[in-house]
Amino acid sequence: MLINCGRILMLGIWAFLVFNLIHPYPKPLKYFMDVAMIFMVLMHGLQLVLLKSTQGKDQPKISGWLQVRIFLFGVFELLAWQKKQPPLPKK
């Protein structure tokens, strides 16, 4: 339930940031939104790269659609993905 609320919140934030690219806000806010967009792209891209690099060779590859969802929703999609993963075997 809360993960879905987070996903909706992230879609709203992305929409707010992309709207600034299409129809720029007034000058001081425009620069802040540009920096926020760059920061968001970098952080979500970094999350995706780190997840892909920590995947073991014996684990299945992450699908393209899941990669897009992780990039868009960030930590909310990672939490949902983590819940679906089978528990690790005990040694």
Side-chain angles (χ1 to χ4, degrees), residues 31-47:
Y31 299 130
F32 176 74
M33 290 293 115
D34 290 340
V35 170
M37 177 71 130
I38 292 168
F39 182 75
M40 179 96 93
V41 168
L42 286 175
M43 288 297 108
H44 285 214
L46 183 63
Q47 283 179 350

Side-chain angles (χ1 to χ4, degrees), residues 12-38:
I13 292 170
W14 276 111
F16 191 68
L17 292 173
V18 169
F19 184 74
N20 180 48
L21 296 175
I22 297 168
H23 181 73
Y25 298 117
K27 282 272 174 136
L29 184 59
K30 176 197 178 321
Y31 299 130
F32 176 74
M33 290 293 115
D34 290 340
V35 170
M37 177 71 130
I38 292 168

Side-chain angles (χ1 to χ4, degrees), residues 36-87:
M37 177 71 130
I38 292 168
F39 182 75
M40 179 96 93
V41 168
L42 286 175
M43 288 297 108
H44 285 214
L46 183 63
Q47 283 179 350
L48 184 59
V49 168
L50 287 174
L51 177 67
K52 288 174 67 172
S53 68
T54 58
Q55 288 288 305
K57 295 187 188 286
D58 58 337
Q59 294 177 334
K61 295 287 184 189
I62 300 173
S63 69
W65 176 240
L66 182 60
Q67 290 180 26
V68 169
R69 289 175 33 193
I70 290 172
F71 183 78
L72 286 177
F73 301 121
V75 71
F76 299 109
E77 190 63 35
L78 288 174
L79 289 171
W81 179 73
Q82 183 182 21
K83 282 184 176 182
K84 294 177 184 175
Q85 293 301 309

